[in-house]
Amino acid sequence: MLSHLSVRHFAIVKSLDIELRNGMTAITGETGAGKSIAIDALGLCLGERAEAGMVRPGADKAEVTAIFSISKLPAARQWLDQHELLSDDENECIIRRVISAEGRSRAFINGSPAPLQLLKSLGHYLVSIHGQHAHQQLLKTDQQRILLDHFGQLEQPLKQVKSDFRRLGELSKQYRELESTQSQRQARRQLLEYQVSELDDFALQEHEFAELELEYKRLSNSQTLLEQSQLSFHQLYADEEVNALSLVQSSIDKLTDLQDSDPRLKPITELLMESSIQISEAASELRNYLDELEIDPASMQQIEQRYDMCMDLARKHQVKPEALYDLHQQLSTEYKSLQQDDDLLEDMQQQLEQANQAYRQAARELSQLRQQKAQALAKQVEAQIHKMNMSQARFEIAVNFNQSAEPQANGLDTIQFKVATNPGLPLDSLEKVASGGELSRIGLAVQVISSASQAIPSMIFDEVDSGISGPTASVVGNLLRQLGETTQVICVTHLPQVAARANNQLFVTKFTDNQTTETNMLELNCDERVNELARLLAGDSLTDSAIANAKELLSLN
């Protein structure tokens, strides 16, 4: 429950500290005194948008602090624990919001900075605020659905429907993207099918072109290699008349004989002897080379054809011949991928059909639960408005399931609140039948009953009793008092019948000295409550009759 609210420099509030208690608390005051300002300030702690105009003129910032007791709120404590925001005192939660004069805003949960989205998320576990225009919101079918789902506690089946809806949407998007490019993929796949088939037939292996190119050059020059190698062998060794080896050997013989005459010839002779050995070894290697050198016209033609084919394919695909193998692998991979995309399209179509069936099944189950809860809610609302001077009214909640409708995140239901305010008249939508006062009564009944089913720890009603008076106001007061037995109820009201039923009452005053305006809020004791109720009954002139009526209203508690 909300135990304390502190407001500093917010709008016309300079400083305000409010202690709040269990049960029902009524907030009253003169028109324009700012009865709703505490609720507006609390809204900031629940993630409402902040504006620079909220800061009191002359102040550099506004600050609002709300303290909640969460000792009996396990869901709130679990949320704080999951977000690592529990304070040392695990039974208390402090939310603070600071707004600068420039409009910048900061928020804190138990002293830790927090984005507004976290404030809103936490607020669902702490407070439910029903504003002055809640009854008008009741005319909207979306709001009617939300109220029904809240009353029926249908969060889990609704979560399943939303999950299935998201899954269906994701698959639909993927399927549309694949389908929209299918013709392009088919054209590309046909081209690749021909290209990959041609490259498959050629079957060039990795690094084969380098070996092929080397062999091609060797075979292309094989005749020249043979002729020049034979000539070289002949000149080095085989020529019977003159060859390099015999000439060197002759020089060695002659110089060897002369070494005795001049020793300086010895190293020269040694070099020639080494040359003789090398020439002999070179001739031997050349002989082996000639023995192994074969000219095979058939092999030469085969190598030449494959080399030419490789060059042709490289030109055709506009790549270097040494890159042809990598291109083949790349095109093969792309071709297989396109084939898989077509298979995926068929598979995704099946998944899409299954997801659609799962969504519609979940939506149907949600609809069946809504129909059950609609009957229960309608019965309770009808019983409540009978007590509010609408004794002949009939109330119904129509839940129409449309199996063939386009998927929606909240299901396939059309939900409509219907009412007949007089006997013999047909049920019709609220906007066509209910007057302003009737709508207020119906809206209040729906809000109280729906929120009570959620066991929300604190409920705040901001003049939701507008358009109600007389005996009906007493019924509304009793309804809020009864709700306050299980939930903290804070009600801004101008009706003495409602205020009198409160366990506690706060009075809002406004002071102005023609230069500044300041709002304050005071807790009333029993005598002060009598005077305030008398004022609400009779205006500023407190008569004995009004005071007597006020005492009588309070005596009903």
Side-chain angles (χ1 to χ4, degrees):
M1 59 167 278
L2 177 62
S3 59
H4 185 87
L5 183 65
S6 174
V7 184
R8 299 286 184 272
H9 303 296
F10 176 75
I12 58 175
V13 174
K14 183 177 181 180
S15 178
L16 186 64
D17 287 281
I18 311 170
E19 297 291 337
L20 294 147
R21 297 180 173 82
N22 287 322
M24 175 184 174
T25 298
I27 299 177
T28 61
E30 297 179 356
T31 301
K35 294 188 294 295
S36 300
I37 202 159
I39 297 175
D40 295 337
L42 179 60
L44 289 174
C45 289
L46 302 176
E48 294 294 330
R49 180 181 176 185
E51 298 177 358
M54 294 178 173
V55 180
R56 180 179 171 86
D60 59 348
K61 66 179 180 179
E63 184 172 334
V64 181
T65 303
I67 302 177
F68 295 87
S69 172
I70 58 173
S71 59
K72 299 180 181 179
L73 302 178
R77 292 175 64 177
Q78 182 181 5
W79 186 96
L80 289 167
D81 187 35
Q82 289 175 345
H83 291 81
E84 299 181 349
L85 291 170
L86 268 177
S87 66
D88 293 337
D89 183 355
E90 296 185 358
N91 294 321
E92 187 175 76
C93 176
I94 302 175
I95 302 177
R96 186 164 66 97
R97 187 84 179 270
V98 181
I99 308 164
S100 71
E102 295 77 27
R104 293 189 298 272
S105 168
R106 293 178 296 155
F108 305 86
I109 299 176
N110 288 330
S112 298
L116 296 188
Q117 195 59 41
L118 278 186
L119 294 188
K120 292 180 180 179
S121 178
L122 175 59
H124 294 317
Y125 298 96
L126 301 174
V127 182
S128 174
I129 297 180
H130 302 271
Q132 299 179 24
H133 306 293
H135 304 329
Q136 295 300 320
Q137 292 291 319
L138 189 61
L139 298 176
K140 298 179 180 180
T141 56
D142 284 347
Q143 184 64 19
Q144 294 174 7
R145 173 187 52 75
I146 291 171
L147 287 169
L148 174 59
D149 288 345
H150 281 178
F151 169 80
Q153 299 183 14
L154 301 179
E155 289 82 5
Q156 194 56 43
L158 182 59
K159 183 179 179 181
Q160 183 62 53
V161 169
K162 289 183 176 180
S163 175
D164 289 343
F165 174 77
R166 286 193 297 270
R167 170 66 175 161
L168 181 60
E170 290 168 359
L171 286 173
S172 297
K173 180 181 178 181
Q174 294 173 17
Y175 183 80
R176 287 193 302 270
E177 289 174 351
L178 276 177
E179 191 177 39
S180 65
T181 58
Q182 187 177 25
S183 59
Q184 298 175 0
R185 290 199 316 276
Q186 285 179 341
R188 177 64 175 166
R189 185 164 59 84
Q190 289 175 355
L191 173 62
L192 288 176
E193 184 176 16
Y194 168 75
Q195 292 178 331
V196 171
S197 176
E198 185 178 44
L199 292 170
D200 284 345
D201 291 341
F202 186 62
L204 183 69
Q205 301 301 305
E206 189 174 11
H207 308 305
E208 182 187 350
F209 176 76
E211 299 171 1
L212 186 65
E213 184 177 36
L214 187 63
E215 185 67 10
Y216 175 78
K217 290 180 178 178
R218 187 184 69 79
L219 291 175
S220 297
N221 295 282
S222 58
Q223 187 63 40
T224 303
L225 290 171
L226 178 62
E227 293 174 355
Q228 292 301 322
S229 296
Q230 287 176 339
L231 177 60
S232 296
F233 179 73
H234 187 74
Q235 292 174 336
L236 287 172
Y237 183 81
D239 193 326
E240 295 181 354
E241 295 182 0
V242 179
N243 60 69
L245 182 60
S246 62
L247 290 173
V248 171
Q249 189 61 51
S250 176
S251 297
I252 292 171
D253 293 340
K254 291 176 181 178
L255 292 175
T256 299
D257 294 339
L258 295 173
Q259 286 181 18
D260 293 338
S261 301
D262 190 348
R264 289 180 298 174
L265 291 174
K266 185 177 180 179
I268 298 173
T269 304
E270 290 174 351
L271 287 173
L272 287 172
M273 290 177 67
E274 291 176 3
S275 299
S276 173
I277 294 171
Q278 291 177 345
I279 291 172
S280 178
E281 289 177 352
S284 177
E285 290 294 328
L286 198 53
R287 180 190 293 114
N288 293 334
Y289 173 77
L290 288 168
D291 290 342
E292 295 173 359
L293 185 63
E294 296 181 1
I295 300 177
D296 184 356
S299 176
M300 182 174 179
Q301 183 180 16
Q302 184 180 2
I303 293 294
E304 186 176 15
Q305 287 176 347
R306 188 160 181 79
Y307 178 81
D308 290 342
M309 182 65 177
C310 189
M311 299 298 291
D312 289 342
L313 286 172
R315 282 192 295 269
K316 185 175 184 178
H317 291 282
Q318 298 181 346
V319 296
K320 293 180 179 180
E322 54 267 29
L324 195 59
Y325 173 83
D326 290 338
L327 176 68
H328 182 197
Q329 305 309 307
Q330 177 185 335
L331 296 181
S332 296
T333 300
E334 184 182 357
Y335 178 64
K336 291 176 183 177
S337 176
L338 290 176
Q339 284 182 313
Q340 290 173 354
D341 281 350
D342 289 340
D343 295 339
L344 179 61
L345 192 63
E346 294 180 8
D347 181 58
M348 190 170 291
Q349 188 173 17
Q350 294 178 357
Q351 292 184 44
L352 194 58
E353 291 173 358
Q354 293 171 358
N356 184 53
Q357 292 175 2
Y359 166 79
R360 294 187 183 279
Q361 179 62 30
R364 180 180 293 278
E365 292 173 0
L366 174 62
S367 180
Q368 291 171 348
L369 291 172
R370 279 173 171 166
Q371 290 171 18
Q372 296 173 13
K373 300 300 181 180
Q375 293 178 8
L377 177 58
K379 185 177 180 180
Q380 292 185 39
V381 171
E382 188 174 281
Q384 202 58 248
I385 61 177
H386 283 173
K387 300 175 184 178
M388 297 182 185
N389 199 26
M390 295 178 67
S391 59
Q392 302 297 316
R394 289 178 295 133
F395 185 80
E396 180 183 284
I397 301 176
V399 180
N400 298 312
F401 179 75
N402 186 353
Q403 174 71 26
S404 59
E406 284 294 317
Q408 301 292 331
N410 296 302
L412 299 174
D413 291 321
T414 301
I415 297 172
Q416 188 176 47
F417 287 8
K418 294 183 176 183
V419 67
T421 56
N422 295 299
L425 295 178
L427 290 159
D428 209 338
S429 64
L430 296 182
E431 60 183 2
K432 292 182 179 180
V433 176
S435 64
E438 291 168 341
L439 182 62
S440 295
R441 282 171 271 178
I442 295 169
L444 184 59
V446 171
Q447 291 166 24
V448 170
I449 294 169
S450 176
S451 297
S453 68
Q454 292 290 299
I456 297 173
S458 299
M459 294 178 61
I460 299 177
F461 298 92
D462 187 8
E463 295 194 17
V464 295
D465 51 11
S466 60
I468 297 173
S469 60
T472 303
S474 296
V475 175
V476 170
N478 290 334
L479 179 63
L480 295 176
R481 172 79 176 216
Q482 182 180 357
L483 184 62
E485 294 177 0
T486 56
T487 301
Q488 182 187 41
V489 175
I490 302 170
C491 178
V492 175
T493 183
H494 63 283
L495 296 177
Q497 297 92 332
V498 173
R501 299 298 289 134
N503 303 95
N504 318 288
Q505 187 169 345
L506 299 173
F507 178 64
V508 180
T509 61
K510 182 173 68 173
F511 169 78
T512 180
D513 59 3
N514 295 324
Q515 293 183 347
T516 61
T517 301
E518 192 172 324
T519 287
N520 203 356
M521 190 175 292
L522 306 172
E523 184 173 3
L524 303 181
N525 59 31
C526 187
D527 292 338
E528 291 169 339
R529 287 191 70 181
V530 170
N531 291 335
E532 171 59 6
L533 292 176
R535 186 191 66 79
L536 291 173
L537 285 165
D540 293 335
S541 299
L542 299 184
T543 63
D544 292 340
S545 174
I547 291 175
N549 287 337
K551 290 180 178 180
E552 183 179 356
L553 285 175
L554 279 176
S555 68
L556 297 175
N557 288 341

